[in-house]
Amino acid sequence: MSLPHAILTALLEKPSSGLELTRRFDRSIGYFWSATHQQIYRELGKLEADGHIRALPTEQPARGQKKSYEVLPAGRAELARWTAASQDPRPHRDTLLLRLRASAVVGTEGIEADLRRHLELHRGQLAEYEEIEKRDFPPGRDTSEDKLRHLVLRAGIELETFWTRWLTDALEEFGELPDSGPA
């Protein structure tokens, strides 16, 4: 149920077309809630049918012209309701961890290389988040909106820091294993 709420959030920040939303998801919201182009367009249709958003009027309607959307009062109320509601954390699911567990019974072929690959990916993501932090949150940006957005970014930084530390430790322990065959 969170994709429509992510779209409402993005549209309240800035009315946008579906294509613009897709690009914004790739650059910001997508770091913690991803969606494909098709999913975004499907949700835009549902949100419009539910009376939560509307297409902005255009000066000259033309076939194939991109529509920009804005949030209606009902959409703002739905987002406020959802934001205020309590939700339990979801259990963490990670295929790398499951594969590592499985390697204890079938052997470790390929796991070490993938641990290294994951480490590099997480290091890259951490560097990107830190660059965003430097660029978008310099000292003095302390409005409520800035502080809340920075909290989300800091969560990403902390998660990537955790994964880089954990993967570094895992690779050290992996190197100390007596053999890599099945248990």
Side-chain angles (χ1 to χ4, degrees):
M1 185 71 170
S2 296
L3 179 56
H5 299 102
I7 291 172
L8 288 170
T9 299
L11 289 175
L12 279 169
E13 291 174 345
K14 180 183 177 197
S16 305
S17 69
L19 181 59
E20 291 165 338
L21 279 173
T22 300
R23 289 179 181 149
R24 288 175 56 210
F25 264 71
D26 288 345
R27 290 189 320 263
S28 61
I29 291 173
Y31 287 125
F32 55 90
W33 196 269
S34 62
T36 65
H37 189 76
Q38 293 84 1
Q39 290 171 316
I40 289 172
Y41 274 95
R42 192 170 37 247
E43 282 304 323
L44 285 170
K46 290 177 188 176
L47 288 166
E48 190 171 24
D50 290 344
H52 291 156
I53 65 171
R54 73 175 179 120
L56 292 169
T58 58
E59 291 179 17
Q60 296 177 341
R63 183 174 164 83
Q65 183 178 8
K66 69 179 182 179
K67 293 194 270 184
S68 287
Y69 296 90
E70 70 176 352
V71 177
L72 296 171
R76 181 180 283 276
E78 168 54 23
L79 186 59
R81 182 209 59 78
W82 179 77
T83 301
S86 175
Q87 292 185 353
D88 293 335
R90 291 183 171 198
H92 183 73
R93 293 170 43 161
D94 190 290
T95 55
L96 178 64
L97 297 177
L98 182 58
R99 290 175 49 237
L100 191 57
R101 174 79 181 250
S103 72
V105 293
V106 297
T108 59
E109 185 175 338
I111 292 293
E112 183 176 9
D114 209 33
L115 288 171
R116 290 186 191 291
R117 187 178 71 81
H118 277 252
L119 177 58
E120 290 311 308
L121 291 170
H122 284 287
R123 282 179 175 156
Q125 190 64 66
L126 177 58
E128 187 174 342
Y129 285 166
E130 288 171 338
E131 192 60 37
I132 291 169
E133 184 176 42
K134 276 193 273 187
R135 180 191 71 217
D136 293 350
F137 299 100
R141 286 202 59 182
D142 57 357
T143 66
S144 296
E145 293 85 0
D146 287 334
K147 286 182 179 184
L148 292 172
R149 288 182 184 123
H150 195 195
L151 275 174
V152 173
L153 179 61
R154 286 182 21 223
I157 290 170
E158 291 296 324
L159 284 170
E160 295 304 329
T161 299
F162 161 78
W163 280 111
T164 56
R165 269 195 308 247
W166 183 85
L167 285 159
T168 299
D169 292 347
L171 283 163
E172 281 181 26
E173 287 190 37
F174 198 90
E176 297 171 4
L177 293 176
D179 71 22
S180 60

